[in-house]
Every structure is written in C-alpha cells, then in structure tokens.
C-alpha cells in the first residue's frame, strides 16, 4: 500500500495539498499499521522547501515498520515550476541527521524502480525513485490508463491512444487489442527532461498535471 505524505508539518501540508487533511492521512497510516501483512510505503516528493522537513518524514521508517520513499519531482505539468531535490542533494540532507546508510542488497522489494538503503536502527528502509538523476527508462514497462480512458505510454509525452473514444464508438475487443499493441510499439524510448522548451514543444511533451495523468 502506497500513501502519499510530503510533510509532517501541518502548515506545509496545507500549502502542498490545498486541504487540511494531514491528521486524516496520519490516522490512515496508523490504521494500516494494524495489518503487518500489508507492506506499507510512504511516498514523499521533495519540493526544495525547508518547511517540508524531510528528515522528519524519513524518521517514520525508524519509528514504524514502513518504507519511506523519496520521489524526484519530474518536470511535468506543474512540476516544471519546482526545482525539486536530486537524490544526491537529498542524501546530503538526510545524512546530517540520520544514522549510517548502506545500500540494501537483499531480495527485490516490489517490481518498481525504487532502490533502497538500510539505515542503522530503522525498522523500515529509505528508498529513492530518481527518474531524473538516475534515469531508468531503459527498464520501464509502465503504461497508464487515465481517468479519461486515455492509454498513456510514457509520463513525459502526450503519446498514446484514446481508448474511451474507441469503446464509445463501438470498437470491438479485437480492434481495441490491436490499437493497444500499436501504442505499445510506439512507446517512447525515454524522457528528455532538461531539453529546451522548443524541443519539448516539438516533442509533444505532456501538458497535463501529474494528478490528471495519475502518475
Ligand atoms: S519511459 Fe516514460 S514512463 Fe517510463 S520511466 Fe521513462 S519517463 Fe517514466
């Protein structure tokens, strides 16, 4: 189970999420912790604002059996307005307050691109999903179906197929399958974050926000 939690500071949470629901999120986490058979992961996107107090979020993995994963902000939609924090910068920030880190080398935890660290005395692990500084597009097997029924084959691009329109115009299962395979064959090789805006316009870079994409 993945839960988004970008900060434990109430005012900062209000600013990031535009709602006053931090306590409800924490109640949800407490409830989930009652079921040790559920692997619980906290997802945190560092935004480069000190009030976020990322070390405080990381310490959840010391105090509870949860993995805390830091996800690099991708410059998609509103994400372009933030500088974000790279994995290297973040390791520097966490290293000032957390005990000794060492890369986790055990059985893979999940099927995703997250890499983990063991931290002395912590119950859970600290993970990093660093799509920008540690590009992992070469191993990407992800596609997404948006709430509007658009099959997206890469987060950065508007590439894909409008499956909802096809279904609503009476497309058969076979036609649908053929279109999905066609879209998969055209899946972009990877992102080009950091490319010029001109290039991104030519590239048909995604203009939607992550919340609209479901990324
Ligand atoms: S190929 Fe696209 S969806 Fe996959 S990891 Fe790269 S940017 Fe993300």
């Amino acid at each position: 189970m993945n839960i988004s939690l970008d900060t434990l500071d109430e005012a900062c949470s209000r600013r990031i999420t535009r709602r006053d629901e931090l306590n409800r999120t924490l109640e949800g986490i407490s409830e989930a912790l009652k079921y040790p058979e559920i692997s619980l992961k906290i997802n945190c996107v560092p935004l480069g604002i000190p009030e976020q107090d990322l070390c405080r979020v990381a310490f959840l993995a010391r105090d509870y059996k949860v993995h805390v994963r830091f996800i690099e902000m991708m410059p998609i939609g509103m994400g372009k307005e933030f500088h974000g924090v790279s994995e290297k910068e973040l390791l520097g920030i966490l290293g000032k307050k957390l005990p000794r880190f060492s890369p986790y080398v055990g059985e893979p935890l999940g099927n995703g691109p997250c890499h983990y660290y063991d931290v002395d005395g912590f119950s859970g692990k600290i993970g990093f999903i660093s799509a920008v500084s540690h590009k992992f597009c070469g191993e990407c097997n992800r596609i997404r179906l948006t709430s509007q029924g658009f099959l997206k084959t890469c987060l950065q691009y508007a590439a894909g197929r409008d499956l909802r329109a096809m279904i609503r115009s009476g497309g058969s299962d076979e036609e649908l399958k053929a279109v999905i395979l066609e879209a998969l064959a055209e899946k972009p090789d990877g992102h080009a974050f950091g490319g010029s805006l001109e290039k991104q316009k030519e590239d048909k870079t995604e203009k939607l926000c992550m919340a609209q994409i479901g990324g």
Side-chain angles (χ1 to χ4, degrees), residues 74 136-137 140 142 144 153-156 187-191 193:
M74 285 189 270
F136 42 74
C137 298
C140 175
R142 301 291 165 110
R144 289 168 176 78
T153 49
C154 175
L155 279 178
Q156 195 193 7
K187 180 171 166 59
D189 291 340
H191 68 65
F193 295 141

Side-chain angles (χ1 to χ4, degrees), residues 121-190:
F122 274 40
S123 313
K125 304 197 185 306
I126 298 293
F128 294 91
I129 302 178
S130 308
V132 181
S133 69
H134 293 64
K135 188 174 176 179
F136 42 74
C137 298
E139 294 155 31
C140 175
N141 58 2
R142 301 291 165 110
I143 55 174
R144 289 168 176 78
L145 189 62
T146 71
S147 55
Q148 281 90 30
F150 188 86
L151 182 75
K152 270 188 72 62
T153 49
C154 175
L155 279 178
Q156 195 193 7
Y157 301 100
R161 294 291 188 284
D162 186 352
L163 300 187
R164 180 176 69 177
M166 259 197 87
I167 292 168
R168 288 193 175 169
S169 62
S172 68
D173 286 356
E174 278 311 305
E175 284 165 332
L176 206 57
K177 187 175 166 190
V179 164
I180 292 171
L181 290 175
E182 210 175 83
L184 281 176
E186 293 169 15
K187 180 171 166 59
D189 291 340

